[in-house]
Amino acid sequence: MPKKIKNCFYKNLTFNKLMEAHKRARQHKTYKNEVIKFEMNLENNIINLLNNIKDKKYHLGKYYSFKVYEPKERTIKALPYRDRIVHQWYVEEFIKPYIVPKFISASFACLKDKGTHKAVENVQRDLRIFKRNYGDFWILKCDIHKFFYSIDPYVLLDIMKKYIADKELMEFTKLLIFDR
């Protein structure tokens, strides 16, 4: 695994890869109006997206907000469907193969063959080991209020710079982080 991502932005920017990203983005959303509308002119929409990215004309759309109430009330901010396709492409082509392998083994969120159930199994195993080795103990359960909204984009960019040597990919990463 190379230390830095090099010379792969345009190689990974293809019609087929954007089409695969569309298929991932539409999972469990096939009956949503914006997905149906996008699919009515699917090939042209994918080609337009591809050309806009290549020609450096792509910009993120406007976020829209809605509330969910499971397990507690949360405000969710979502991008338009076409931007979710781009995010799927970016994560699958650059984050998963190059950055995820560098995560600690206790990372579980949104990773293949991981997730909430695997995290619970891991914590329960660790608790049994700790109890056997050290006896009684205390656990602090906490949640960081609005964690993702509090991430400093400049810190995130500095972290990404450590992994990205591809100039075009770095420019696109800046766009994804700062284009709001």
Side-chain angles (χ1 to χ4, degrees):
M1 182 64 46
K3 289 189 179 201
K4 288 202 170 207
I5 307 169
K6 298 177 184 174
N7 306 320
C8 63
F9 183 74
Y10 289 117
K11 181 179 79 170
N12 290 335
L13 181 57
T14 67
F15 178 87
N16 287 338
K17 290 187 188 252
L18 285 174
M19 187 63 84
E20 290 168 12
H22 155 68
K23 289 176 185 172
R24 286 189 304 276
R26 75 186 286 268
Q27 286 180 345
H28 312 295
K29 294 171 178 43
T30 54
Y31 299 111
K32 299 271 187 179
N33 286 338
E34 64 179 336
V35 176
I36 293 169
K37 188 176 176 182
F38 190 88
E39 287 185 332
M40 288 175 69
N41 196 7
L42 180 60
E43 289 81 10
N44 281 337
N45 286 331
I46 295 289
I47 289 169
N48 287 337
L49 201 52
L50 176 71
N51 290 335
N52 282 338
I53 294 170
K54 279 184 179 177
D55 297 340
K56 298 182 185 196
K57 294 179 182 175
Y58 172 79
H59 292 282
L60 292 173
K62 186 175 182 175
Y63 283 89
Y64 63 93
S65 298
F66 60 94
K67 291 190 185 279
V68 295
Y69 299 92
E70 294 288 331
K72 62 183 181 181
E73 182 179 325
R74 295 180 187 270
T75 300
I76 306 295
K77 293 184 178 181
L79 284 166
Y81 181 69
R82 67 187 286 273
D83 297 320
R84 292 196 300 265
I85 293 170
V86 172
H87 284 176
Q88 282 288 331
W89 168 75
Y90 183 86
V91 168
E92 196 68 30
E93 299 303 322
F94 306 111
I95 302 297
K96 285 183 178 180
Y98 296 101
I99 296 175
V100 169
K102 297 172 187 337
F103 286 3
I104 62 171
S105 64
S107 296
F108 289 93
C110 302
L111 298 175
K112 187 176 181 188
D113 300 326
K114 295 243 182 165
T116 306
H117 296 294
K118 290 284 187 184
V120 168
E121 290 171 10
N122 191 59
V123 167
Q124 287 176 339
R125 186 194 73 237
D126 290 348
L127 291 174
R128 283 190 294 276
I129 292 168
F130 197 89
K131 175 82 172 164
R132 183 178 57 238
N133 293 339
Y134 303 104
D136 291 336
F137 56 91
W138 292 88
I139 297 175
L140 173 65
K141 178 183 175 190
C142 58
D143 185 12
I144 300 172
H145 182 67
K146 297 187 179 181
F147 174 74
F148 289 105
Y149 302 112
S150 69
I151 295 172
D152 184 332
Y154 296 97
V155 172
L156 178 59
L157 182 65
D158 286 342
I159 292 168
M160 296 302 284
K161 284 178 181 176
K162 293 177 185 176
Y163 299 107
I164 299 173
D166 184 314
K167 182 181 176 233
E168 297 299 327
L169 179 59
M170 192 68 238
E171 288 302 312
F172 194 74
T173 300
K174 286 178 189 175
L175 181 126
L176 293 178
I177 292 173
F178 293 105
D179 189 19
R180 296 180 185 213

